[in-house]
């Protein structure tokens, strides 16, 4: 079983080591894996573009305009990479909420984090999609190592398992994109993980919309922050595989009400309950939409 420590100690670039491991396991040719990864990157980019160009509401009416609204808004903070990363991440998750085509990375609920962070940074720096293939291979390797030790579904381990995993994968990918070492990439992943421990999964009405769309925006930035720390040679004090073990332990302790059941957290606020009731009571004349409470 490949661990985070195995990747940390791999020869540089870590993506090539992961690719060799995968080819040995699957029998696939490296060129076939690279071609498939490039196809997925382009699928991610397509979902970003559709999301940025649409303000169509999801079937619940809770989301659909956030990515375009941010993208079209003035950059009042003068932080173009921040705005781009957030808008890209929300664009993907709003496409998911509209039942559009996305790449689960590693899940649909966390699908915006990697394209938001990795493609967002690449576009900010003028880096083409072909140069994202190896970083994406590394991200896949990090995700695989996490999945061997921990849940990656919110229903099993809370949102920490989904968004934490995606942020860790994205952080490691950015480090490799910027020429960082395998050690730096894994420590970026570790810092992304350790700062998501305990995050609950509490989608309003059970839909992957609120808080999921904005959460992907926040944790795409989280991934960029972890990568920036690691590229400055900062490291996680707790070893990466120990961080992963701690997160898995917290996931096992998390009550069912906070694991994608809509029985706790934001889903049980008065507004959350009102939205849920309207979803359940919508009729044919509503066109599948609900009117959100104003207060």
């Amino acid at each position: 079983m490949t661990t985070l420590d195995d990747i940390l100690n791999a020869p540089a670039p870590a993506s090539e080591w992961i690719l060799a491991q995968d080819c040995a396991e699957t029998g696939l040719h490296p060129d076939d894996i690279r071609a498939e990864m490039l196809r997925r990157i382009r699928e991610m980019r397509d979902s970003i573009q559709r999301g940025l160009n649409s303000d169509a509401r999801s079937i619940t009416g809770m989301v659909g305009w956030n990515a375009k609204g941010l993208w079209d808004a003035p950059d009042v903070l003068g932080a173009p990479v921040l705005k781009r990363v957030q808008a890209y991440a929300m664009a993907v998750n709003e496409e998911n909420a509209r039942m559009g085509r996305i790449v689960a990375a590693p899940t649909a609920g966390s699908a915006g984090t990697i394209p938001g962070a990795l493609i967002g940074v690449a576009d900010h720096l003028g880096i083409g999609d072909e140069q994202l293939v190896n970083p994406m291979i590394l991200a896949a390797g990090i995700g695989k190592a996490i999945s061997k030790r921990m849940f990656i579904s919110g229903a099993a381990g809370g949102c920490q398992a989904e968004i934490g995993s995606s942020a860790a994968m994205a952080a490691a990918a950015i480090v490799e994109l910027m020429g960082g070492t395998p050690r730096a990439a894994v420590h970026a992943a570790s810092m992304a993980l350790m700062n998501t421990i305990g995050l609950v999964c509490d989608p309003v009405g059970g839909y992957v919309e609120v808080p999921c769309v904005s959460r992907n925006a926040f944790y795409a930035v989280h991934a960029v922050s972890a990568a920036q720390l690691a590229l400055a040679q900062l490291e996680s004090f707790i070893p990466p595989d120990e961080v992963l073990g701690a997160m898995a332990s917290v996931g096992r302790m998390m009550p069912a009400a906070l694991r994608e059941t809509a029985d706790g957290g934001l889903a049980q606020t008065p507004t959350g309950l009102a939205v849920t009731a309207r979803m359940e009571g919508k009729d044919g004349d509503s066109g599948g939409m609900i009117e959100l409470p104003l207060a």
Side-chain angles (χ1 to χ4, degrees):
M1 179 180 71
T2 300
T3 66
L4 293 179
D5 282 345
D6 290 334
I7 300 172
L8 182 149
N9 292 308
S15 57
E16 292 293 344
W17 182 82
I18 288 169
L19 182 61
Q21 299 291 314
D22 196 56
C23 289
E25 181 179 321
T26 64
L28 295 171
H29 191 278
D31 289 346
D32 293 333
I33 294 176
R34 289 192 182 97
E36 176 60 22
M37 194 60 76
L38 181 59
R39 186 186 70 79
R40 295 186 187 190
I41 291 166
R42 287 171 174 163
E43 290 281 6
M44 288 178 171
R45 183 173 290 286
D46 285 347
S47 64
I48 290 169
Q49 291 306 314
R50 291 194 307 272
L52 293 179
N53 290 324
S54 176
D55 56 7
R57 293 189 173 211
S58 64
I59 194 169
T60 68
M62 289 192 289
V63 299
W65 58 91
N66 296 280
K68 189 176 189 299
L70 175 60
W71 190 243
D72 291 344
D75 183 11
V76 293
L77 294 179
V81 68
L82 178 66
K83 177 182 173 183
R84 184 182 295 274
V85 164
Q86 290 181 312
Y88 280 19
M90 288 194 293
V92 174
N93 277 84
E94 289 190 315
E95 274 298 287
N96 179 57
R98 286 189 285 260
M99 304 302 171
R101 185 179 177 88
I102 55 98
V103 177
T107 66
S110 61
T113 309
I114 293 175
L118 180 60
I119 299 179
V121 166
D123 283 0
H124 177 69
L125 298 175
I127 297 172
D129 287 352
E130 290 77 9
Q131 291 174 262
L132 304 184
V133 170
N134 274 11
M136 280 289 292
I137 289 170
L138 174 56
I142 294 287
K144 185 175 182 179
I146 291 171
S147 71
K148 297 296 184 183
R149 292 282 309 278
M150 189 185 78
F151 338 93
I152 59 168
S153 75
C159 198
Q160 59 162 14
E162 294 198 26
I163 207 76
S165 298
S166 64
M169 294 162 70
I174 293 168
V175 170
E176 170 135 335
L177 178 68
M178 302 310 298
T181 64
R183 182 179 185 90
V186 173
H187 275 283
S190 180
M191 287 187 281
L193 284 173
M194 72 189 302
N195 288 294
T196 55
I197 289 178
L199 189 63
V200 304
C201 186
D202 54 349
V204 172
Y207 288 84
V208 186
E209 299 185 20
V210 176
C212 317
V213 168
S214 62
R215 188 167 286 173
N216 274 261
F218 277 97
Y219 280 91
V221 174
H222 180 81
V224 175
S225 297
Q228 187 165 39
L229 294 179
L231 286 164
Q233 300 184 0
L234 278 67
E235 295 187 347
S236 168
F237 180 79
I238 306 298
D241 280 314
E242 291 184 27
V243 171
L244 187 52
M247 181 173 274
S249 176
V250 170
R252 288 190 291 270
M253 290 187 284
M254 196 173 286
L258 302 178
R259 288 189 277 113
E260 208 172 349
T261 57
D263 290 331
L266 295 174
Q268 288 293 303
T269 61
T271 297
L273 291 171
V275 171
T276 301
R278 294 188 187 194
M279 289 178 192
E280 293 174 347
K282 65 180 184 288
D283 57 36
D285 294 332
S286 69
M289 303 290 283
I290 60 167
E291 181 182 350
L292 300 182
L294 296 178

